[in-house]
Amino acid sequence: MSKRILTGYRPTGKLHLGNLHGNLKRMIELQEEAECYFFIADWHALTTDYQDPSRLRAYTEDMVLDWLAAGIDPAKAVVYRQSDLPEVAEFHLYLSLITPLGWLERVPSFKEQQEQLRGRDISTHGFLGYPVLQAADILIVRADGVPVGEDQLPHLELTREIVRRFNFLYGETFGEPQSLLSPSPRIPGTDGRKMSKSYGNYISLTDPPEEVRKKALSMITDPARRTRKDPGDPEKCSAFQLHKAYSVKELDDIAERCRTAARGCVECKTMLAERIVESLLPFQERRGEMESRPGYAWEVLREGVEKVRPVAREVVREVRERMGID
Ligand code: TRP
């Protein structure tokens, strides 16, 4: 029996290097060996952005094209949009009936996001139910594995708690999905913090070469290297963390030249920039090609949802039966 893998991304626009190394590469590997479901979580995006949905369609299209150009293959993985699968909404309702309020109020992202997104009113029923909707996404295809970042672990734990409660109430129906954390090192942004859309410290996969060079050169290096002659500690340098992904073969040499001040930071970051530019070239070429085919992303999503629909329908049918409304 092949494993079922599922993951979703909120449509927030173009992907960056942090997304690529953190999760996307893993997804591209997994599609070769498992039954994969990759979807655009547009309902989840609306839980925080319901006041301004004007960019939702453009963001969805951008994300799909980035996925495909990076190597997600719609012939191998099922790629779809959450809102095209209303079965998820129905299932979310059933799960919401059995999920205690206290579990949701305890999820760390609930309080954190309320703090961080102060400008928006997210004291809503929908936002509180965010992890229940996520559980519905996962269980509607009976996923065994969910590739996610560390921030999503509490949501996966809640999904397993919901599974246990459902099985206890209505009989053994679902298995417990496991989270698959990416083994690759954390990719820092230009300011040294985790690369993230919300920090504005990212290099996009679609950034043109001049932009990549500018951003790579602005990366924070070891603050102890104030002049060209000061030796540095590569582990304290954000650019070195990226070299770990882009300069694997020369890594020891790069570290050594930093420690002995044999190479300056500008030269070191210029090297890095060229590696990144070079690696993005084939991606950007494929993406350009896809952009010239109007409606291509939507076509892929339309075909994808038809593949997941029978799976989802069967799960909802069984849930209805278990809950006495068949
Ligand atoms: N909450 C996830 C995020 O912010 C997105 C998501 C929605 C998801 N549903 C999912 C991830 C199901 C994995 C599985 O990144």
Side-chain angles (χ1 to χ4, degrees):
M1 272 285 284
S2 96
K3 284 195 128 210
R4 279 212 184 145
I5 301 293
L6 169 137
T7 198
Y9 281 28
R10 274 171 304 143
T12 49
K14 292 173 176 161
L15 295 174
H16 54 65
L17 296 182
N19 302 124
L20 177 67
H21 296 284
N23 209 242
L24 191 47
K25 279 200 168 156
R26 185 78 183 282
M27 289 158 63
I28 294 162
E29 285 164 21
L30 283 165
Q31 69 180 352
E32 302 297 333
E33 59 200 58
E35 190 179 324
C36 287
Y37 296 89
F38 301 143
F39 72 97
I40 304 293
D42 54 346
W43 281 333
H44 277 104
L46 282 172
T47 62
T48 51
D49 292 48
Y50 63 91
Q51 285 167 325
D52 179 17
S54 56
R55 282 164 307 186
L56 203 51
R57 287 184 61 85
Y59 281 175
T60 298
E61 189 167 1
D62 269 334
M63 200 159 266
V64 171
L65 292 181
D66 277 354
W67 274 357
L68 300 176
I72 299 290
D73 180 352
K76 292 175 181 157
V78 180
V79 177
Y80 62 100
R81 181 173 68 163
Q82 184 184 39
S83 61
D84 288 328
L85 195 62
E87 287 80 359
V88 171
E90 182 181 347
F91 189 25
H92 166 251
L93 169 67
Y94 300 139
L95 297 180
S96 78
L97 297 172
I98 67 163
T99 306
L101 261 187
W103 291 5
L104 298 174
E105 286 160 347
R106 263 194 278 120
V107 172
S109 59
F110 180 62
K111 285 221 171 67
E112 278 163 28
Q113 293 274 75
Q114 296 225 319
E115 288 288 310
Q116 275 178 23
L117 304 178
R118 274 187 182 283
R120 296 176 231 176
D121 183 2
I122 50 171
S123 310
T124 58
H125 176 212
F127 183 66
L128 182 67
Y130 185 110
V132 184
L133 183 58
Q134 185 159 347
D137 292 326
I138 296 169
L139 300 175
I140 207 153
V141 304
R142 299 181 177 283
D144 311 291
V146 185
V148 283
E150 233 170 317
D151 60 317
Q152 295 298 312
L153 295 183
H155 292 162
L156 265 292
E157 187 50 44
L158 191 86
T159 300
R160 288 190 289 272
E161 285 181 292
I162 292 175
V163 165
R164 292 193 282 270
R165 187 159 166 85
F166 191 99
N167 290 348
F168 169 76
L169 290 168
Y170 310 113
E172 198 63 29
T173 310
F174 294 106
E176 292 185 22
Q178 301 306 314
S179 34
L180 305 175
L181 272 183
S182 161
S184 64
R186 163 169 298 203
I187 297 287
T190 49
D191 61 358
R193 292 186 291 175
K194 181 184 175 200
M195 190 178 283
S196 157
K197 199 104 198 179
S198 47
Y199 295 152
N201 61 358
Y202 55 90
I203 298 177
S204 294
L205 303 183
T206 39
D207 278 345
E210 322 81 72
E211 190 75 13
V212 173
R213 291 190 184 105
K214 203 171 83 197
K215 288 180 179 171
L217 277 159
S218 78
M219 291 201 84
I220 302 271
T221 53
D222 178 3
R225 274 197 97 173
R226 275 180 298 128
T227 73
R228 169 69 184 77
K229 290 198 192 74
D230 294 330
D233 178 354
E235 288 307 329
K236 292 190 179 136
C237 172
S238 311
F240 186 70
Q241 302 308 310
L242 277 170
H243 270 303
K244 286 182 182 172
Y246 287 91
S247 313
V248 181
K249 281 186 213 132
E250 285 159 89
L251 202 60
D252 291 342
D253 183 59
I254 290 168
E256 186 58 20
R257 288 179 199 243
C258 173
R259 284 193 206 98
T260 56
R263 182 184 282 138
C265 294
V266 172
E267 191 190 331
C268 190
K269 291 195 279 190
T270 304
M271 271 174 60
L272 173 67
E274 293 318 311
R275 298 270 158 77
I276 298 175
V277 165
E278 200 183 310
S279 81
L280 290 179
L281 233 53
F283 164 87
Q284 293 181 352
E285 203 173 304
R286 280 194 296 273
R287 201 185 193 284
E289 204 178 288
M290 288 174 189
E291 281 164 32
S292 67
R293 293 154 68 181
Y296 179 62
W298 301 105
E299 206 177 293
V300 168
L301 292 175
R302 208 162 34 243
E303 286 174 12
V305 79
E306 294 315 325
K307 292 186 213 161
V308 66
R309 208 186 300 284
V311 180
R313 287 219 168 130
E314 177 50 30
V315 169
V316 169
R317 189 202 58 75
E318 189 176 343
V319 166
R320 284 176 153 248
E321 195 177 292
R322 297 268 182 180
M323 295 183 74
I325 47 173
D326 50 318

